[in-house]
Amino acid sequence: MDTLVTRSFELVSNDWQQQSQEEWSLHQQKQRWDWFWMILVLVALVFSVILFVVGINRGNTASVATALVIQFGLFVIMMDELNQQPGVGIWLIVLCYPGIILFELVLGVYLWIINKKRRAS
């Protein structure tokens, strides 16, 4: 109220509107960066799953290990981000991890059984 007494209402209103616009601009910029990082992480996850599948198919343990290390590292980074100000994208990525691990586990066991049968015959 002291501000309104010493300054006109129009000046105070203009200051509030300008501050609101600046905060909105910062919020939009943060959202853009969140989407950028989310897309980058998703691309890395897709790459690691492809690397895992190719490694399992070819029996290349180095590719499988590399894929799992990439996924584990991304998971650790995402869990750290959840401790800060989490966005929707981070939650979506973290919620994808159980599906990725289940897919890789089922695929790995399936291909291991198929390869074992091929070698036996």
Side-chain angles (χ1 to χ4, degrees):
M1 292 306 280
D2 293 335
T3 304
L4 288 175
V5 170
T6 58
R7 298 176 66 196
S8 71
F9 180 75
E10 289 82 23
L11 289 175
V12 172
S13 176
N14 289 340
D15 288 346
W16 286 345
Q17 287 176 355
Q18 182 179 0
Q19 183 180 0
S20 174
Q21 288 174 351
E22 289 171 0
E23 288 176 4
W24 178 249
S25 176
L26 287 174
H27 174 73
Q28 286 180 326
Q29 184 178 7
K30 183 184 178 305
Q31 290 292 346
R32 279 188 227 110
W33 277 109
D34 285 346
W35 278 102
F36 171 76
W37 288 113
M38 184 181 75
I39 290 169
L40 188 66
V41 167
L42 284 175
V43 167
L45 275 175
V46 168
F47 171 75
S48 69
V49 169
I50 291 170
L51 188 64
F52 180 86
V53 170
V54 169
I56 287 287
N57 279 331
R58 294 185 180 167
N60 187 348
T61 56
S63 294
V64 173
T66 303
L68 293 176
V69 166
I70 290 170
Q71 291 169 10
F72 180 73
L74 290 173
F75 183 74
V76 169
I77 291 169
M78 291 297 108
M79 293 306 290
D80 183 53
E81 287 293 320
L82 283 177
N83 291 333
Q84 297 171 10
Q85 294 181 344
V88 174
I90 294 172
W91 278 106
L92 289 174
I93 291 171
V94 169
L95 291 175
C96 287
Y97 271 99
I100 291 170
I101 298 301
L102 182 63
F103 167 75
E104 290 177 347
L105 181 65
V106 169
L107 180 69
V109 168
Y110 173 74
L111 291 176
W112 180 72
I113 290 170
I114 287 179
N115 287 336
K116 191 173 182 180
K117 285 182 181 179
R118 282 183 195 164
R119 289 181 189 142
S121 51

